[in-house]
Amino acid sequence: METKTDLVNNLNKILNPKIEYCPVNKKYILDGIWDTDVNIHNLDEKTYNYEKYLLDNLISFNSPKEIIKEIYEIVWEKVEWYQNHGINEFAFYDVIKGKIFELSPESGYPKPIKEDLYTNEYISSINFNGLDIDYSELLIVIHRYLKETNNYAEEKDLEKVKLIYALQIHFESINILYESLYKIEIHFEEIDLIALNSSKSYYDLKSNPFKCNVDFNKLETAVFFRFLMDTGILFMDSKKNKVLLQRFFESNFNFTSDDGYSYPITRLNNDFSKINVDNNIDVQLYSLGNLISKLESYKKKIEIKYVKKKSP
């Protein structure tokens, strides 16, 4: 039987990934994965497994709801630590550099999942003011720190940014973990712990089957939501709290892809970053123009309907 100490220890393994530096490849490794191979999916798998492990063991505690609360408060402390230490700033490297272990040849090095395309030569060849750049999420982060790194004059700065990007993904994954555990605590009375077992996917519990579909693609949807947030048309407890509204959008809406199917909205903050890049001004203007056109069309229908109603 697992103890509360076991639950906390296993959680801390997720909250505090091991950071290593390979002097041969001059790259960083996060929990055994090269920084450029880290993605939200492999981190989500870890948090998902922890959620299942936690739920499977709650039945043995006298006050399971209190355990949930204690656990998600520990997660929140890590989320706050990331926020308070500037996870989105280039200076964040200075915060974590003392936690980095240098690998020795005897320890061996993990094999990269894929080739790292983001070399200094590639970055220096990019015209970031051009209109034909396919901005990946990593490239957005690299672009964000161009000035601070003097266009990555030093090769080590580019590698630092890749590590920061990997840790930003880690930050996002534990933030999602916090939200999931918080939802469990809020809806705890609706969960049958006895019926729940490892053969049942926890995703069934935390998914929202009643989502609203937006008839825009992913970036157009981001423009639409940004408009609603910035204008204050929609707000939660206050017009300043945009984080809650963003989470509401992600939990309750799907976007419509070019293939005509609806998909869940995830990582909306990254889409906001993409539309804020200068060369995506056309996407913003097109999306807003499309919205204005729909409003004008709807307004015209109302006017025509009113005129007909008033006609003798």
Side-chain angles (χ1 to χ4, degrees):
M1 183 176 68
E2 298 290 275
T3 66
K4 187 169 73 172
T5 300
D6 294 326
L7 299 181
V8 172
N9 288 341
N10 283 305
L11 174 63
N12 282 327
K13 291 177 183 178
I14 295 174
L15 299 183
N16 302 293
K18 187 176 184 180
I19 307 173
E20 297 169 303
Y21 177 72
C22 175
V24 174
N25 294 287
K26 298 180 180 180
K27 289 178 61 65
Y28 295 94
I29 301 167
L30 195 70
D31 267 352
I33 303 176
W34 294 109
D35 50 13
T36 48
D37 288 335
V38 172
N39 60 68
I40 193 64
H41 301 295
N42 52 42
L43 294 184
D44 269 352
E45 184 178 0
K46 291 182 179 181
T47 57
Y48 167 77
N49 289 336
Y50 181 80
E51 290 166 7
K52 283 296 301 150
Y53 157 76
L54 178 62
L55 286 173
D56 288 342
N57 285 282
L58 278 181
I59 193 67
S60 61
F61 291 91
N62 292 327
S63 303
K65 187 175 181 179
E66 289 303 312
I67 295 294
I68 286 286
K69 187 175 181 181
E70 288 183 44
I71 292 296
Y72 79 60
E73 285 178 347
I74 294 173
V75 179
W76 180 249
E77 287 178 4
K78 186 65 177 184
V79 171
E80 281 194 317
W81 182 86
Y82 268 126
Q83 292 174 334
N84 294 337
H85 288 84
I87 178 63
N88 290 317
E89 305 298 329
F90 179 69
F92 184 71
Y93 179 84
D94 294 329
V95 175
I96 49 91
K97 65 181 180 182
K99 303 177 185 292
I100 300 173
F101 299 90
E102 184 166 313
L103 289 176
S104 61
E106 294 78 21
S107 62
Y109 309 120
K111 184 179 179 180
I113 297 176
K114 57 186 177 182
E115 183 182 357
D116 185 1
L117 300 177
Y118 297 99
T119 63
N120 279 72
E121 291 76 18
Y122 174 68
I123 299 303
S124 62
S125 70
I126 295 177
N127 175 15
F128 283 97
N129 294 320
L131 299 178
D132 56 349
I133 303 174
D134 182 15
Y135 274 93
S136 65
E137 292 172 358
L138 175 54
L139 195 55
I140 289 172
V141 175
I142 291 173
H143 175 263
R144 185 184 302 158
Y145 306 125
L146 277 176
K147 291 183 179 179
E148 291 179 80
T149 60
N150 191 24
N151 294 326
Y152 297 98
E154 296 188 33
E155 182 178 0
K156 61 182 180 180
D157 284 342
L158 179 58
E159 297 307 319
K160 290 177 182 178
V161 168
K162 293 173 186 176
L163 174 61
I164 291 172
Y165 170 67
L167 290 170
Q168 287 173 353
I169 297 175
H170 178 255
F171 165 67
E172 180 183 350
S173 73
I174 63 170
N175 203 12
I176 293 172
L177 174 61
Y178 164 76
E179 292 174 3
S180 297
L181 297 179
Y182 179 74
K183 287 179 182 178
I184 295 175
E185 196 262 341
I186 293 297
H187 301 287
F188 192 78
E189 283 70 21
E190 304 168 22
I191 301 174
D192 186 349
L193 291 177
I194 297 177
L196 189 68
N197 55 59
S198 296
S199 65
K200 180 178 179 181
S201 171
Y202 172 62
Y203 284 124
D204 293 338
L205 286 175
K206 68 179 182 179
S207 63
N208 179 2
F210 303 107
K211 285 192 173 184
C212 180
N213 298 319
V214 181
D215 194 19
F216 293 139
N217 66 29
K218 202 165 190 292
L219 278 185
E220 290 170 347
T221 300
V223 173
F224 176 56
F225 285 154
R226 172 60 75 184
F227 161 72
L228 294 175
M229 294 169 70
D230 288 349
T231 56
I233 293 176
L234 293 184
F235 61 94
M236 301 296 279
D237 57 341
S238 74
K239 291 189 178 182
K240 292 183 179 180
N241 196 340
K242 295 182 179 180
V243 174
L244 281 180
L245 188 56
Q246 180 176 321
R247 291 175 182 171
F248 176 80
F249 290 149
E250 291 174 333
S251 299
N252 294 279
F253 288 88
N254 297 320
F255 72 92
T256 303
S257 71
D258 293 335
D259 59 14
Y261 292 97
S262 296
Y263 295 96
I265 294 171
T266 58
R267 310 193 76 188
L268 188 55
N269 203 51
N270 286 306
D271 292 324
F272 288 157
S273 297
K274 288 180 182 179
I275 63 174
N276 285 336
V277 176
D278 289 343
N279 69 343
N280 272 325
I281 185 66
D282 290 343
V283 174
Q284 295 187 65
L285 294 180
Y286 171 80
S287 302
L288 293 173
N290 190 18
L291 180 60
I292 291 170
S293 177
K294 290 179 183 295
L295 288 171
E296 289 287 355
S297 178
Y298 186 75
K299 177 186 174 185
K300 190 172 183 179
K301 288 181 181 179
I302 296 297
E303 291 173 341
I304 293 173
K305 184 178 179 180
Y306 178 80
V307 170
K308 286 184 177 179
K309 187 175 180 180
K310 288 293 184 179
S311 298

